[in-house]
Each structure stands twice: as C-alpha cells, then as structure tokens.
Amino acid sequence: MPSPNTICLSDPQQTLCSLPIHTGSMGPEVIDVQTLYKETGKFTYDPGFNSTASCRSQITFIDGEEGVLLYRGYPIEQLAETSHFLEVCYLLLHGDLPTPEAQKAFEHDITMHTMVHDQLTNFFKGFRRDAHPMAIMVGVVGALSAFYHEALDIRSKADREMAAIRLIAKVPTIAAMCHKYSTGMPFMYPQNQLGYAENFLRMMHATPCDHYAANPVLVQALDRILILHADHEQNASTSTVRVAGSSGANPYACVAAGIACLWGAAHGGANESVLHMLRTIGDSSRIPEFLAKAKDKNDPFRLMGFGHRVYKNFDPRAKLMRKTCHEVLDALDLHDSALFKLAIELEQIALEDEYFNSRKLYPNVDFYSGIVLHALGIPTNMFTALFAMGRTVGWIAHWDEMISDPEHRIARPRQLYTGPGRRNVPGFQPS
Ligand code: CMC
C-alpha cells in the first residue's frame, strides 16, 4: 500500500515507481516527479506547463476557478482599495506590508534611484526613432548590467536588494525616455517630490517649456494599474526571468529577458492589441463579423483581451480594472467617445455569446487596462511598457526567491524527440 502522501505510477504489467506528494498552504497538491527518470527511464510531457509546478513560491496565490488572486496572502481587491503601488512592492519583496517607518525608508530609497546614469542616455541614440518602446526597453534595461559592477554579486542579499531598488526606480524613467525618444522630445528628469505614478506621468507628458500638473484621478488610476500588474505567480515572463536567472545571470539581464517575453501579444502585448483590434473593428455594426473570425479555427484572429490560461470564471483584476475604467471615463467625460462605446458593446455581445460562454472566455485585465491607458493619454505602443513597469517588482521578487532557495538548480527541461534517427552525412567515409 502506498503511503497517503505518495502516488504509485504503474503500467498494465507492474508498478513503475512511487512518487511523493507535496501539500502547499493552498492550491492543488503536487506530485514530485524529480526521481521519475532515474526510477523509470521516462520523462513527463507537458508543453505549456498546464500541469507542472516549476518551483515552490510564497509570493502570489491564484485560484483560477474561484477568481482569487492573493499577494503574500492579501486579496488583490483589498490591496487595490487601500494600498499604494510602492507599499505593494514592499509587500512582494519583503513578505509583509511595511510599517510607516519602513515604508518611508523604502520610498526614499526608490526616489533616490530614479535617475539613470547619464551615459545610459547614449544607448537611445542607437535606435531608430520609430523603434517600438519595448524593443528599446529590452536593450536599455539589459544595458543596466554594465553600470553596477560594484553590486552584482547575486549571492549577496544586500546586492540583490540594491538591484531590486534600482530596477523598480529606473524602469519608469527608462520607459518614459523610450516615449520621449520616439517623439523627438527632450528627456524629462524625475522629480523627487512626486509619487511614483505621478512622476512617471510627468516624465511622459511634461516638456521643459510648460508647467505640468497631473490629474489626481489619473494618477490614482495608474497606481491601480501598477498594483494589478505587479505579480501573477509563474506566468510566462516571470518564468522566463526565473529560467534566465537559474544560470546565475545578473538581475538586469534577467529582467530584460522578462520584458522580451512580456512583449508577446498572448501575454503583455494584449493591452496594445486590444486597442488595435478596436480600431480595426471600427464600428459596432462590424462586431458580428469579428466575433465570427474569432470563432473560426482557420482564422488566426482572436478576440484580444478575452480568455486566460488560469482564470476560467473571471479575472479578479479585470473586475477592478473595469471599475477604474468607468471612474476614468467619468472624470474625463469620455463615456460617449466612439472607441469606448465600441469596447463596451463588444464586451456585452461577447459575454452573451455561446462560444465565449461555453469556453469560459471572459474579459481579462488587459481588455480594460488598454482602454484606461488610452484615456490616460498613453500612446498605444507604450501600453506594454507600462505593464513592464508594474511587473518589474514581481520579476525581481521571484528572482530573489529563486536565488535564495537552496533547492534551486539551473532550469534544464528535457524533450520528446521526434526528429530523424541517427544517419550518416552523404559522402562521409568512416575511417
Ligand atoms: N478568442 C477566441 N477564442 C479563444 C480566445 C480568444 N481570445 N482565447 C481562447 N480561445 C479559444 C481557443 O481557440 C480554444 O478553443 P477550442 O477549445 O475550440 O479549441 C479555447 O478557447 C481554449 O483556449 P486555449 O488556447 O486553450 O487557452 P490558453 O490557456 O492556451 O490561452 C490565452 C490563454 C490568454 C493565451 C488566450 O485566451 C488568448 O490568446 N487570449 C487573447 C490574448 C490575451 O488577451 N492575452 C492576455 C492575457 S491576460 C494578461 C496576462 O496575464 O498576460
């Protein structure tokens, strides 16, 4: 009889092996297959990692069936209502909400590192003006690796903390510089007296010629967008950061890898794709035509901003973002704009459609965040850069957790080889 916390794997003839089962604090139990190959000579096959836990983690918990998202145990709804983004950053990095003193010190540290080394600005000149901001971000964030040799010992906790502070502080500055570069405007320096979200909006929208004051409703909306995007357990870009970091690569290079992965339309690029899709649809009379395309298996078109690998009932971030969306549209008196009306109509029609209902395809966070960012005056090609700003803390928290985990090893998956068997190169003469 196997013990209650093991599972036996057998083929019709025999028991192959007995595998341990681990129980987390929440979520499904996990079968530990680490010894499977040694004991049976077989690998597991799980493309897309539908059934694979790649690590132990204490940072974020998701229950996709129930629509639950917890950062360090705290529900996202509560954090979004009561906290600021930098408090959430502290929580994700340190495991608990900060005391007022710790919060002050953390905010001070971030503020003191928002400026980038002046030589970093030279990297921008190497890019064409029409380069996508994400292309520039991958390069420039990776280039940070070359600036901080004195604090790049990944085994040092102090160096890891310094890298976290630098990345959270500098990514918004770099993101805003990407935008300014593409429009031919001068870079705006960060202002230390401003909060994180307000500072970013100023670096994006202000010019040296005019006074700039951000609308507080928009500052709050951006802060909420950052909170909702801060972490999402082992998503594609976070897993990329972990895989890159598993070899001992430095944190700036790992986060650059995360940014590259995030850029894809199935992941962080979705908010940008939502806006492109709405512009392509153009008018509500064409919604049925595009719904038909989304359902047609021979057509690559998908309804962007709908569906999620993990959330199969609703995305809790989408609920909050929907609320923020309406607050922003009210504040800016934009409810009647053609694009927003089209988005609301599309949402309603898709929600009532049998295809989307039966597959549990609901609007995800990016359906609404794209609309909010558009209302905030953020150009469409900057949407994913803002997602990267929010997610940087999650990436670095996971990277740090992995480096600190004594069980961590270089990530090296195996494969089911389906190519040709061994054969000789034509003309090869064995000696
Ligand atoms: N439009 C039309 N059909 C869809 C869509 C969609 N957006 N999403 C999934 N489906 C269909 C899919 O064709 C499949 O149908 P069938 O069972 O008939 O073969 C079924 O729904 C299940 O989909 P899946 O491809 O197995 O789902 P997945 O978990 O592999 O993909 C996803 C998840 C998010 C990549 C996908 O839903 C998608 O491409 N959505 C649009 C892109 C998007 O909005 N991405 C943002 C995700 S939220 C931000 C983040 O966390 O990164």
Side-chain angles (χ1 to χ4, degrees):
M1 244 337 240
S3 82
N5 51 358
T6 62
I7 192 165
C8 279
L9 200 69
S10 38
D11 67 17
Q13 277 83 44
Q14 56 175 332
T15 298
L16 294 173
C17 69
S18 158
L19 298 167
I21 295 180
H22 303 305
T23 308
S25 47
M26 285 192 277
E29 292 184 321
V30 168
I31 302 170
D32 185 337
V33 295
Q34 288 183 87
T35 59
L36 183 74
Y37 177 61
K38 203 166 143 207
E39 293 190 30
T40 68
K42 296 179 191 342
F43 296 141
T44 55
Y45 179 62
D46 187 16
F49 308 116
N50 272 316
S51 301
T52 297
S54 60
C55 60
R56 291 174 198 264
S57 183
Q58 303 183 349
I59 301 174
T60 290
F61 175 78
I62 300 175
D63 182 334
E65 301 305 321
E66 297 297 321
V68 171
L69 170 60
L70 311 177
Y71 291 168
R72 301 283 191 183
Y74 294 114
I76 190 67
E77 295 80 0
Q78 294 178 20
L79 291 169
E81 291 293 338
T82 59
S83 299
H84 293 294
F85 178 63
L86 285 184
E87 261 180 296
V88 170
C89 289
Y90 185 99
L91 170 70
L92 288 168
L93 291 172
H94 297 284
D96 236 319
L97 284 165
T99 60
E101 297 74 40
Q103 174 69 14
K104 212 170 148 203
F106 183 70
E107 284 184 10
H108 177 265
D109 284 349
I110 298 285
T111 307
M112 288 303 127
H113 287 90
T114 48
M115 247 188 344
V116 294
H117 194 290
D118 214 41
Q119 262 177 274
L120 197 82
T121 57
N122 294 333
F123 281 86
F124 286 84
K125 298 198 184 91
F127 288 92
R128 285 169 51 135
R129 290 273 176 197
D130 61 357
H132 194 285
M134 289 297 279
I136 306 181
M137 274 186 83
V138 171
V140 176
V141 172
L144 289 174
S145 315
F147 285 78
Y148 304 109
H149 302 295
E150 86 294 350
L152 267 187
D153 178 1
I154 61 165
R155 285 154 305 179
S156 151
K157 191 168 160 33
D159 282 11
R160 293 202 301 275
E161 279 179 12
M162 181 46 80
I165 297 282
R166 283 188 167 133
L167 276 158
I168 295 167
K170 292 183 202 306
V171 165
T173 311
I174 292 172
M177 289 168 86
C178 291
H179 169 63
K180 289 294 187 193
Y181 182 74
S182 70
T183 53
M185 298 253 210
F187 296 144
M188 295 298 289
Y189 284 110
Q191 293 276 313
N192 286 352
Q193 79 280 9
L194 299 179
Y196 194 83
E198 188 172 3
N199 202 7
F200 172 73
L201 285 175
R202 188 182 165 280
M203 288 189 288
M204 274 289 293
H205 295 315
T207 68
C209 318
D210 283 313
H211 173 70
Y212 174 83
N215 177 336
V217 177
L218 306 193
V219 173
Q220 206 196 346
L222 177 58
D223 197 76
R224 181 167 289 178
I225 289 179
L226 298 176
I227 292 176
L228 298 184
H229 286 85
D231 194 38
H232 216 222
E233 51 118 304
Q234 311 309 321
N235 58 88
S237 56
T238 302
S239 298
T240 300
V241 171
R242 278 184 177 259
V243 170
S246 76
S247 70
N250 76 70
Y252 304 102
C254 296
V255 167
I259 294 172
C261 175
L262 185 75
W263 191 4
H267 190 9
N271 51 16
E272 180 175 345
S273 307
V274 168
L275 256 280
H276 288 309
M277 176 186 75
L278 291 173
R279 289 195 180 112
T280 310
I281 297 176
D283 185 83
S284 58
S285 62
R286 297 187 69 201
I287 292 176
E289 178 194 332
F290 280 86
L291 285 189
K293 275 164 75 62
K295 297 175 198 175
D296 180 355
K297 296 291 169 216
N298 297 317
D299 190 322
F301 177 80
R302 282 190 160 197
L303 208 55
M304 300 315 289
F306 276 74
H308 199 274
R309 168 60 63 82
V310 180
Y311 296 120
K312 295 301 177 196
N313 271 321
F314 68 94
D315 177 344
R317 303 167 303 168
K319 255 189 166 176
L320 294 158
M321 194 48 76
R322 189 177 197 279
K323 187 169 164 250
T324 303
C325 183
H326 284 282
E327 282 164 11
V328 167
L329 298 188
D330 282 344
L332 298 176
D333 204 13
L334 276 174
H335 263 115
D336 280 341
S337 114
L339 194 78
F340 301 126
K341 274 179 147 170
L342 176 63
I344 304 301
E345 266 187 74
L346 175 64
E347 177 200 11
Q348 271 164 5
I349 295 174
L351 282 173
E352 285 160 14
D353 190 285
E354 197 279 329
Y355 173 95
F356 288 90
N357 247 302
S358 62
R359 287 169 181 75
K360 301 192 169 182
L361 300 170
Y362 303 102
N364 57 49
V365 66
D366 285 332
F367 184 74
Y368 304 108
S369 70
I371 300 170
V372 177
L373 291 173
H374 180 65
L376 259 56
I378 306 288
T380 315
N381 69 356
M382 280 294 294
F383 287 7
T384 314
L386 270 89
F387 191 156
M389 267 169 58
R391 187 56 57 84
T392 295
V393 63
W395 290 329
I396 202 79
H398 280 272
W399 172 80
D400 182 57
E401 184 181 60
M402 179 193 64
I403 302 289
S404 317
D405 180 355
E407 272 191 7
H408 115 258
R409 306 171 67 200
I410 186 166
R412 176 58 173 90
R414 303 307 300 266
Q415 61 175 5
L416 176 64
Y417 177 69
T418 57
R422 189 196 157 100
R423 50 185 172 160
N424 288 329
V425 174
F428 173 76
Q429 297 293 336
S431 51

